[in-house]
Amino acid sequence: MFAESLRDISPLARAEREPLQDRCGIVAAFCEEDTPFFITGLAGLYQLQTRGYDGAGFHCVTAAGQTFQCKGEGMISDVFNTDTVARYRDIKASMWLYETRYGTQGATKVENVQPIVTQHRLTGETFAVIHNGQFSDEDGLSGGEVSDTRIFANQLAESTEASWNERILNMQKKKNGAWSTIIATPEGLYLMRDRYGVRPLGYGKKKDAISNRDIWIAASETSALKAMGVSLSFEVLPDSVIKISKRGIEKLRKPNGIVTAQAACIFENIYIGDGRSAIHSPRTTDLEINTSPEIDEFRKRCGVILAKEAPLSGADVDVAIGIPGTGIAGGRSYAEALGIPYLQAITDRNPQDNPRTFMNPDINDIGRQVLGHFYLHKNFLQGLRVVIIDDSIVRANITGGVIKLFKEEFGVKGTHVRVLCPPIDKSCYLGVNTRKDSELAAARHRGNIEGIRQEIGADSLAFLSDKGLLEAAGQSDGFCLGCMINHYPPLDRRGNIIYERD
Ligand code: SF4
């Protein structure tokens, strides 16, 4: 019943037929000797499930060059079900690549799920690529059925340099955009980031329990590294290329002027990242990632600052409710800062299965998704005045749907909304393709907060300021805030370089 009423208030949701595009999570490992790493890698990948659920895949190579792979569409547990796990769990190999995909470019089909495995045209050597983010649209790397990762792999396959080092260094230099990429070649594992560090990538090592040798492990986020047993992490610094082989770690390309030149995506911390991961921020050394605050700490700070910028009191509301899961840390701290009781009246039914409701490709299904995904504690809410705290408002259909449900079916007497980031009124072309500008609530209302408030039916609405957001991050420079305040330095909205900041 609610599904129908939600569709009624959300003509935008009816009109949205394209997938809401997002980003990927990647994991890789290198060991000098073949070792059974499959389950460990899967544990890391599960930690990154929220980064995409179009599909998942893995590829591994033994020291003798034998390869195994498996990939498919859907959630990680769909692809790596009981049968596939049983098939691969005991395989021993020396290089491992995993991906959970939400494609920013290319159709949602199994051919575009990574790792992309192909052969070098001149040498015939097999190599595999995983990639998080988006290459810029130069060189025809946009649109169409084929993913930018596959086009990248094809270009690398055609490269004519004599060694893998040279081929990969040249590709890293040539490619604009916002990406972290890992390539498994016969010469070793290569980790590299775009020159401005828009997307994250870290690595570390642990001892292999069987061989007692080091296993080097890389992942999009530190929470995944921790899940795989890495205690000390290193960041692959922006604009760098790292090679891991039997010779150990080689830093093939070191960055210059990294602090001012960085453009770390701040939305990674608002919405994308696991709360237990280190904040994604500009850093000067690769070890700083170990002393950086966790993303949940950043989200809490956002709540405290929002409480100063847009306070409510007991005279306005009875309880505060954080929207699961990325609105909870900030929701709690907002409530605590203002002395408002906090009530988790909306909970995830199963956060592991579908933690990002509004990313579901079938936008028309979103009303059912809200009901199916969230558990709403109706009995607690009758007659209360509530403040809902959410991480962001993108298209506003979920927020509007929840408010309608609260008021019309749960007997809630007042609904205020506080948002833990500034209004998002521009599309992202840097690996988090939120939606077209015209579909974003803040863009449709030309930044008029009152217009958004009326659309969602809230009694009041306020957003965290960009200044407050940067204060929460603890650094005022080195972030991309393009989708919020049109600040994409030093890239344009297509990921091409506007100017060098060194
Ligand atoms: Fe991140 Fe927004 Fe910048 Fe895209 S435009 S990289 S989502 S901050």
Side-chain angles (χ1 to χ4, degrees), residues 178 198-199 263-268 270 272 280 424 426-434 479-484 487-488 491 493:
V198 184
R199 300 278 146 242
C265 168
I266 201 142
F267 201 59
E268 285 271 350
I270 294 164
I272 300 172
H280 179 48
I424 293 172
K426 281 162 276 296
S427 296
C428 170
Y429 294 89
L430 303 173
V432 184
N433 286 359
T434 40
F479 285 103
C480 175
L481 279 76
C483 51
M484 298 163 215
H487 187 69
Y488 294 85
L491 308 168
R493 296 179 61 195

